[in-house]
Amino acid sequence: MAMASSSTLSWSSSSWLHSFSGPTNEVSKLPERRTSMLILAQKKARKTRKIMLKEDVTNLGKKGQLLDVKAGFYRNFLLPMGKAQIVTPVILKEMKIEEERIEAEKKRVKDEAQQLALIFETVGVLKVKRKGGKNKQIFGSVTAQDVVDIIKAQLQRDVDKRFVSLPEIRETGEYVAELKLHPEVTARVKLNVYAN
């Protein structure tokens, strides 16, 4: 009887071991998982970072400029000094919106300058009165400030005298003054200089 119980015990213990170890093909998969994890752990870190400068940095770039810099340079210098930040999709979207706003403002200013140039060129001739001398001579000359004052009086428009260029005027006659209203827009105004 003692023999029968020992054989039962040995059978049940062997089946218990068999159920614990499971099928042999599952055990063989375990080393494969380890190798795949090892490969992931050896993946190289990125060596550069896409950044936006918060201020001008000598020999690197201007404020707002997008650059690719070495990760160590960003981490050890630019970030601690507060000179740059990592570019994110949110920052890129904000930059695009700001660029569109600036472009719209530039277009508005140019359109205003073109309308003003059209007014100046269609108004006809601006009359400039000076004290006359012999023949066609006038006393003094006509200056940019004189042109600005005449435009203000006759057209109720303010123009900076630095944007007015005109030839030297020392006698009566017709002349053309150029008004640089915008880097891309120049108006031509006719002046009729006469003696009183």
Side-chain angles (χ1 to χ4, degrees):
M1 218 164 160
M3 289 179 84
S5 65
S6 67
S7 67
T8 307
L9 180 63
S10 66
W11 178 82
S12 63
S13 63
S14 67
S15 65
W16 176 76
L17 284 171
H18 180 69
S19 66
F20 179 72
S21 64
T24 55
N25 59 356
E26 286 185 17
V27 175
S28 64
K29 285 184 180 177
L30 189 60
E32 289 176 17
R33 285 191 209 144
R34 284 185 185 159
T35 55
S36 65
M37 286 192 291
L38 185 64
I39 291 168
L40 288 174
Q42 289 177 347
K43 186 177 177 184
K44 290 184 178 180
R46 287 185 299 163
K47 293 185 177 180
T48 61
R49 294 281 187 268
K50 189 148 195 83
I51 56 125
M52 181 183 76
L53 294 177
K54 290 183 177 179
E55 59 186 73
D56 292 355
V57 179
T58 309
N59 298 329
L60 189 61
K62 301 277 185 193
K63 180 179 179 179
Q65 191 174 352
L66 295 178
L67 299 169
D68 287 319
V69 296
K70 291 186 177 179
F73 180 60
Y74 170 74
R75 182 178 58 248
N76 298 325
F77 176 70
L78 296 173
L79 180 63
M81 299 290 281
K83 294 181 180 285
Q85 65 186 42
I86 293 284
V87 174
T88 64
V90 173
I91 290 173
L92 286 174
K93 186 177 180 182
E94 288 173 358
M95 286 177 66
K96 184 178 178 186
I97 290 169
E98 182 65 15
E99 285 175 6
E100 288 171 356
R101 187 193 66 75
I102 289 169
E103 286 302 315
E105 179 63 20
K106 284 180 181 177
K107 186 179 184 312
R108 185 190 65 77
V109 169
K110 184 179 176 183
D111 289 346
E112 280 184 9
Q114 286 174 333
Q115 289 174 358
L116 193 57
L118 188 63
I119 291 169
F120 287 149
E121 290 179 1
T122 56
V123 76
V125 180
L126 298 177
K127 295 183 179 180
V128 183
K129 184 166 59 170
R130 283 288 178 269
K131 188 174 181 180
K134 291 181 182 178
N135 299 329
K136 292 179 149 189
Q137 296 290 322
I138 58 171
F139 288 105
S141 64
V142 178
T143 65
Q145 185 61 52
D146 295 327
V147 174
V148 169
D149 293 340
I150 291 165
I151 290 171
K152 176 74 173 171
Q154 294 183 16
L155 302 174
Q156 290 77 42
R157 300 286 179 167
D158 289 317
V159 178
D160 192 328
K161 70 177 184 179
R162 293 175 295 178
F163 303 144
V164 177
S165 67
L166 67 161
E168 186 176 344
I169 302 173
R170 295 203 174 268
E171 57 184 43
T172 59
E174 281 204 1
Y175 299 90
V176 175
E178 289 189 346
L179 308 175
K180 190 84 172 169
L181 304 173
H182 184 272
E184 300 173 23
V185 180
T186 302
R188 293 166 61 84
V189 179
K190 290 181 182 175
L191 303 174
N192 183 9
V193 181
Y194 66 98
N196 59 352

